[in-house]
Each structure stands twice: as structure tokens, then as C-alpha cells.
Amino acid sequence: MNSYRRLALAFHALFFAALFAGALHAQTGYPSRPVTLVVPYPPGGSADILARTVGQKLSVLWGQPVIVDNRAGAGTAIGAKAVASAPADGYTLLMGTVSSHAINPAMNKVGYDPVKDFTAVAPLASVAFVLVAHPSFAAASLQDLVAMARAKPGEITYASAGPGTSNHLAGVLLEGASRINLLHVPYKGSAPALSDVLAGHVKLMFDLQATALPYVNSGRLRALAITSKTRSSNLPNVPTMVEGGVPGYEASAWFGIFAPAALPRPVTEKINQSLASVLKMADVQKQLRDLGAEPESGTPEAFSEYVRSESVKWAEIVKSAGASTNK
């Protein structure tokens, strides 16, 4: 009997070891079929361009197609929710952004939890805002602007793409961090907002670096500060908001890859490491610079913590701006 039991136990041990090895092989052999990369925006924007750039390189690395699937709508919620409810096998990924995982969930009922319902796989890039002013504006620096705003509360105007948009909330963040009061002038989109700043009808705007860069270089706008942690290689002489005297200020449009929650660790690591390799490629770095973006890389744990902190930060900003529709 004892011999039989020992034989049975040995058989079971071999069986479960083989089963585990098979599962591990399936994970580390990822991907064995096409991967879908969902972009929660229409074709042509920064997220879409970045997804297609990265997707093409991953297709070559993996020997499997990476198919970009644009699922726009509800301020990124449609695409993000679709990925959150997909199987956690690595074959459905999301090009997530600060909108899908911080701003939109803070403002609206999106049907998913930006932290609990996803595996934060890897950061990709960030695009900073530039605080630009019409050349006629008297403030030559961020310090000058803050001093003027404190002397004339509610009189200095800044434009945005509309209430609750990222460049509106960047202004709200500045007001709170520097204890000033500006006059928000909302528009229906960034293009008309920028046009009125260029015309001098509104004094300031937080605009994405890629859009602002040509006007700053031509002298039609003056850059007071950039909202990233570090200076931009495209605007090396423009100080960060922190250097300009606003401690702790950071507001960037960031991008990263997400998967459904509980993605197996080997698959998470495979995607993370593959993306790190892609971001080191010279042609990818050039395409990012053309978008005004800075490449970002890091561990899944660090990215997950960053997403969590961004979710909390932007929820507080949205609440202070009174922009939430959540009840």
C-alpha cells in the first residue's frame, strides 16, 4: 500500500509539474497569434500615431501582427471599457492615456475602475504642455505672471479647449499651486482657443508642445514654462513650472500600454521588455520628438503606482474645478 501511495503521489507531482510547465510555456511563448491594440480615439491623433508606430515595431519583434483598433467615443470610455472586460491573456491591449485613466474617470461615469480593472504594463511617452503667452503680454516669466495675477485677481485670461479639458485643468492646477485666480475662457476645441491667443484676444494658454512649438520658434508666442518634470529637448531654454517657482507642478498628456486586470506576470514582463526595446530605436525616438513627446519607460510596478497617483491628483483638480458630472 505504501509503495502504491508513493507511486500515486509521484504521478500526481509529475502531472501537475507538466501542467505548470505547459502553462508557463504558453505564457512565455506569447504571442502565438495576432494582438489587438485598442486606441480609444479616432485615427490621426497622437495616441493613434504612437500606437501604429509601436505596433509596427512589436509586429516585427514578435513575428505576429499587432492590429490597431480605433474605438473612439465617450471621452475614451468606450475603448477602455472594452479592454477592461476582455480576457486577461495579453491579446487585447489598450493605448491608455491621462484622459482614459485619470481625467475622464474623475469627470464621468465611465463603467470601469482605472486602477483595479487594468494591468498597467508599461509607460510609453509623455507630451508636456507649454504655457504660452501673446507677445504683448507684460509678463516675461512665470514669476512675473504669478505676481501680476496676485495684484489683479481674476483679470488675466487663459484659453482652453473647453471646460474639463486637460488644458483647462492645467490652468486650475496652476491656480491652486500658486494661489492665484485667473479668468478661464473656454472654447469648443484647441484650434479656436489657440487662434484667439495668437490674435491677442486672450493672454495665455496651456497648449501641447507639438502644437505650440512652431509659434514659439517663430516668435508669435512666448513660452513662459513647460509642464513636464524636466526641460524639453525641443525647448531647452524654457524652464519647467517648478523652476519657474511653482513647487510640485506637473501636468503632461501621458501614454502607456494597459491590459485587463490579472494579466499573467510572464506576459506582462514580455510586453514591458519588448516596449523598452522599441523605445530605444532611433527612428521611434525621432517620431516621438516629431510629436513633441518624450519617451518613458519603467517597470509595471512603477507605472501602476504612477497611474494610481495621477488618478488621485486629477480627481482633486476636477473637483476643485467643479467639472465632474459624477454624483
Side-chain angles (χ1 to χ4, degrees):
M1 176 66 73
N2 288 340
S3 297
Y4 175 79
R5 288 184 63 187
R6 284 197 297 271
L7 184 63
L9 288 171
F11 174 79
H12 280 89
L14 286 171
F15 174 78
F16 284 110
L19 189 64
F20 175 78
L24 184 61
H25 174 74
Q27 292 173 5
T28 55
Y30 167 91
S32 59
R33 55 186 171 87
V35 175
T36 297
L37 177 54
V38 174
V39 178
Y41 297 92
S46 297
D48 180 66
I49 294 170
L50 183 57
R52 293 179 189 279
T53 298
V54 169
Q56 189 274 330
K57 296 297 185 182
L58 290 177
S59 295
V60 174
L61 279 180
W62 292 344
Q64 293 289 344
V66 175
I67 302 165
V68 174
D69 181 8
N70 295 92
R71 296 197 194 182
T76 69
I78 290 177
K81 189 175 180 180
V83 174
S85 59
D89 55 11
Y91 290 95
T92 305
L93 304 175
L94 176 72
M95 175 61 72
T97 68
V98 65
S99 293
S100 65
H101 279 71
I103 295 176
N104 198 22
M107 292 180 60
N108 305 298
K109 294 181 179 179
V110 293
Y112 61 85
D113 187 296
V115 175
K116 296 178 181 178
D117 291 340
F118 294 89
T119 299
V121 178
L124 282 181
S126 62
V127 181
F129 292 96
V130 182
L131 176 56
V132 293
H134 188 268
S136 66
F137 186 52
S141 67
L142 182 58
Q143 292 97 325
D144 291 344
L145 165 62
V146 170
M148 288 176 60
R150 287 175 178 167
K152 300 179 179 180
E155 294 186 22
I156 298 174
T157 57
Y158 78 99
S160 84
T165 57
S166 53
N167 48 11
H168 167 215
L169 297 177
V172 174
L173 181 58
L174 173 61
E175 290 180 292
S178 57
R179 301 183 305 280
I180 60 174
N181 183 18
L182 303 173
L183 178 59
H184 175 223
V185 183
Y187 290 80
K188 293 182 178 179
S190 289
L194 183 59
S195 293
D196 265 14
V197 176
L198 287 165
H201 302 313
V202 184
K203 300 304 181 185
L204 303 167
M205 180 176 177
F206 284 91
D207 195 25
L208 286 174
Q209 183 183 174
T211 313
L213 191 60
Y215 299 108
V216 172
N217 288 339
S218 67
R220 295 187 64 190
L221 291 175
R222 183 166 63 248
L224 300 182
I226 194 163
T227 64
S228 50
K229 286 182 179 179
T230 59
R231 295 194 183 198
S232 167
S233 57
N234 291 319
L235 294 166
N237 296 322
V238 176
T240 66
M241 298 289 287
V242 173
E243 290 174 332
V246 184
Y249 190 105
E250 183 197 358
S252 296
W254 52 260
F255 305 83
I257 296 297
F258 293 82
L263 184 69
R265 182 67 189 186
V267 178
T268 302
E269 291 180 348
K270 175 69 177 287
I271 301 170
N272 180 280
Q273 291 165 10
S274 297
L275 289 167
S277 297
V278 167
L279 291 175
K280 292 177 183 177
M281 298 177 183
D283 57 335
V284 173
Q285 292 186 0
K286 181 182 183 303
Q287 286 179 292
L288 287 176
R289 287 194 299 270
D290 290 343
L291 289 172
E294 297 291 335
E296 303 281 351
S297 61
T299 65
E301 291 79 13
F303 185 43
S304 178
E305 183 55 38
Y306 179 71
V307 172
R308 185 177 288 105
S309 66
E310 283 284 280
S311 179
V312 172
K313 180 180 83 173
W314 288 106
E316 292 174 352
I317 297 168
V318 166
K319 182 178 179 180
S320 68
S324 175
T325 62
N326 290 326
K327 302 297 182 184

